[in-house]
Structures are given as structure tokens and as C-alpha cells.
Amino acid sequence: MLGWKLRLGKPKLRLQSTITLLVCIVVVMALIVTEILITNRISKETEKSQAEKATDIARIVARSPIVMNGLTNKKTEKNIQTYANDIKRSTHVEFIVVMDMYGYRKSHPNSNLIGLHFIGGDEGPVLKGKEHISTAKGTLGLSLRSFVPVYDHENHQIGAVAVGISLEKVNHAIAQSRKIILVGVGVGILVGILGALFLARKIKAILFGLEPSEIAKLLEERSAMLQSTKEGILAVDQDGKATLLNNEGIRLLHKAGIHGSFLGRKVDEFIPNTKLSTVLKTGEPQLDQEQEINHITILTNRVPVIVKGKIVGAISTFREKTEIKELAEQLTGVKLYAEALRTQSHEFMNKLHVVSGLIHMKDYQRVSSYITKIVDHQQSEVEFVVSRFKDPVLAGFILGKLSYARENGCELMIDGEGNVPEPQQQETTHEVVTILGNLIDNALDAVAERPLKKVTLRFDYYGEVLALEVHDTGLGIDEDIINSLCVKGYSTKGENRGIGLYLVQRSLEKLEGQLEIHSQKEKGTTFIVTFPYKVKK
């Protein structure tokens, strides 16, 4: 338990429980406050209405000729009791008491109390001509009383009328009203709880069952992922307004000369010829599309965002085309390395097969002679190449090409004065490998069907400039197509070719070098490349 507490601290309620609890608390508190206010209001209104009822009855009785005559004429005094009881029965009040100016009763529900003084002590003001309401305890218990003075025809006060309503009845009426309110409050609380549960489940479903902490974690992870990716990412809503653009996307837009705020704006306003609006309309993805943005070429993928069968937005990922080309060139260099190693391995296996055959024939003298010949040739070839090319990677690459040429029945000659030092930057080696690899491969292809299958590689290093020359004994190249050889996709060898010389040209651009092509019909072609070459000190 201690470990759990240290890890999580106080246990947290789940989102559904939190929403349910909060909504229930709000509903209960609101209904309780409402019940208190309404009950208090109803209590006051009930007392007021009962008081007004008593006052109205008292006024009617006070203005009755029977009461007025009874208070002024002893002969008709008994009629007051009969009249008061009739009114009492019909109005359901507790009592109607008519008194003279000395406070002696002329009527009372209990006829035995007629003639006795009014009890309660609250009759004083009415005997002085003031109409009022009070609460006091009399012979019938605690009651709400309304006092109204009685005047004769000459407007002289001759007595008073007291109408009483039992406070038990008033409180009972209030209690009945409160029960109705409490029932309503109970129903409201139940409905509130059910509504809270429904709301919590609905919100939970909208959030895909995730807790707030999980959503926060996903948001942080998504933000880190989007900002760390090398792809520009742009998201728009169903109206085509930008809702997300990561740092790489902003960098590429700035590189294209597009600045300002992007979020919340229509994507058509800051990115020309975008087709995200088309994706929003059709719902069809657009993959591996080229797009020009102010002279910057990008490769982009555009896909719709569909939720429950409805298009709610679109996302575009894009990257500068030159970066992708650089990756392709690097992969091409790696491929050349791998091909050289494969060729050497294949050539070595062929020689092992010869040795194995001679051993089976038990011709050990020839085995010894053959191995000596191989070792001498291999050693001399390795020593020659290593002495001429000081960069181990470049030397190994050329040895691989020598083996590859022999495997294809071609002769690859190495010629040159002095040696080629190791370059100052390793990237230079990669570019040289790309250049030589493509030129030698093209030359070997050119002599594949020729009677003289010979390719010559010449090198010359002077004054921090390296010159490389690749000559073949092929058919040669027509002059009218020489200028088109370095165009991407152009080839005289068929479809899906025309990449090699394009990559050579790109590598020379990086090295700030140049390419010369000389060709004669039936005599072959010579490719000469020169570029600055700083050596490692």
C-alpha cells in the first residue's frame, strides 16, 4: 500500500465518477436551496392568505346589521351568537368572537363562555379602533387572530370582532405544501442522478473511454512526435482551416518564403495550388504527389480524416524533394558497396570450387600452383590498388569493381600517376564512389556485347584537384544525345533507367566539379570528371 501511495499519491476518481458526483452535488444543492426558499415563501404566503381570510370574515361580520343591532340592543344580543356560529361553520374558521367595548364576549363557539372577558390580551388595539392581526393563545389554543372594530350608523365604535384560525391548521397546510415540494425535490434529485450518469457515459464515449490524465499524456506524446518528425505535417478541419502545423512544416514554408500566422487560416490563403480542398470534397487520398511552392518542390501525401463515415478534415505530410533525392543517392552508394562485396565473395567462391575440385582429383601439385597463382595475383592487385588509393573505402570499392569486371568477362584497367590521398571529409569518398560506380557500371554495360571488352580507369591528382577518366571500347554515343545523358530518366537502354548519370551530375554539383564526355563511333566513349579534392592532413 505504501508503494501505491508513493506512486500515485491520493487516489483519483475516474472521469465518469467525477462527473456523476459533481452533477449530483450541484443538483442536490440547487434543489435543497430551492426547497428552503420555496418552503419559507409558502409558509409566509399561507399565513398571509389565512390572515387575509380571517380579516375578510371579520369585516363581513363587523358590518352585519345583526351584529350592529345586537351590540346596541339587549333584546337582539342573542342573535349575534347564532349569526357568528353560522358564519363559522360556513367558513371553517376556529372561532368568531364578537365583543363589546369592554372586551366582554357576545358570541363564542362555547356558549358557556359568552359574557366572560376575551382571553389573549391582544384585543386592546381593536377596542381603540385599530384593525390588526396577532397570534395569541386563548381558550381554544394558539391561533392566528384578526381584529376588526364594529361601528354603528353614526360611525361610533360599539365593539369589535375577532376571527381566529388555529395555527395547527395553518401549520398543517404548510406541511402539506412542503410534502409536495419534497416529493418534487426527490424526483428532481433522481432525474438529476440519472441525467448525470447519462452525461458521464456520453462524455466518456466522446473521449473514447480515455481519462483526462491519459488524454494529457497522449497529447504530450503526439506533440513530441509531431515536432520531432522530419516530415512537415499540416492538418485542416472540414472548412479547410489549418488546425495543426508542426515545426518542420513551418520551416519548409518559411524556406518557400511564406511567413505569418497559419493556424485558423484557410489553407488556400497561404499555400498556393494546394489540393487539400479537393481531398475534403472527394474523400479520396492523394499519395506521392509533387507540388511546387514558390520554386520549392515537395513530395506530399494528402489523406482525408473520416470519423463515423463523415469527413471532418484532412492531413497532409510533405518533405522537400531534394532531401529525398539525397537519401536516394546515399542508398545508391550503399548499393554499390554491397554489390562490390557480393562480387568479391562470388569470385572467391568460384576459386574455392576450383581448389575443391583439384583436391578431389588428388592433384595436389596443381592445387599448390593454383593457390600460389591466386595469392600472387590477388596480392599484387591489392598492393597496386592500395598503393594508388589511400582511402580504404575507395580502395575496397575499386577492388570490388575489378572482381565484378572479371566475373562479367571484362577487363578493367587501372592507370595513373602517383596516388589519390585520403580526402579531408568522409562525405567526399561517398560522392566519389557514386561517381565511379555509375561511370564504371555504364562502361561495363557498353562493352558487354563488344569483341574487345575493355574499360580503363585513369586518375590524376594535382594541385588539390582530382581528375578521373573512364574509357570504354563500346559503340560510342551520338553527338546529338550527349547533352541529354544527365537528364533524369533519359536513357538509351530502355524504361526505368537514366538515373546513373543524373546521380553523377548531382554528386559533381556537391563537389563543385564538372563532367566532360567524348565519344567516337565504334571507338568508344570517355567520361572525364574533375573536382576540388582537399586531402586529409
Side-chain angles (χ1 to χ4, degrees), residues 480-524:
D480 56 347
I481 66 171
I482 286 179
N483 294 331
S484 302
L485 291 178
C486 293
V487 176
K488 181 182 178 183
Y490 182 85
S491 175
T492 59
K493 303 174 185 178
E495 296 182 358
N496 300 321
R497 304 295 293 270
I499 300 295
L501 289 178
Y502 169 77
L503 295 178
V504 169
Q505 187 65 42
R506 287 299 306 273
S507 293
L508 284 173
E509 289 175 2
K510 292 182 180 179
L511 297 175
E512 298 180 355
Q514 57 185 0
L515 170 66
E516 296 179 28
I517 304 175
H518 304 282
S519 185
Q520 291 182 353
K521 277 292 185 179
E522 301 296 332
K523 291 185 178 181

Side-chain angles (χ1 to χ4, degrees), residues 464-483:
E464 293 191 342
V465 174
L466 179 61
L468 299 172
E469 178 182 316
V470 178
H471 173 75
D472 64 66
T473 57
L475 290 172
I477 304 173
D478 294 335
E479 291 185 4
D480 56 347
I481 66 171
I482 286 179
N483 294 331

Side-chain angles (χ1 to χ4, degrees), residues 298-361:
I298 63 171
L299 285 178
T300 179
N301 293 296
R302 311 179 189 96
V303 295
V305 178
I306 301 175
V307 177
K308 296 181 179 179
K310 182 180 180 182
I311 299 175
V312 298
I315 293 178
S316 172
T317 60
F318 50 96
R319 191 165 186 175
E320 192 174 359
K321 189 177 179 181
T322 54
E323 295 179 356
I324 298 175
K325 289 180 180 178
E326 289 175 0
L327 290 175
E329 292 172 8
Q330 293 176 5
L331 290 175
T332 301
V334 173
K335 181 180 178 181
L336 292 173
Y337 294 138
E339 184 64 24
L341 291 173
R342 185 201 66 78
T343 303
Q344 284 188 323
S345 174
H346 187 266
E347 184 182 20
F348 183 68
M349 287 298 298
N350 289 336
K351 292 174 180 177
L352 285 180
H353 290 155
V354 174
V355 172
S356 176
L358 292 173
I359 291 175
H360 279 294
M361 295 170 61

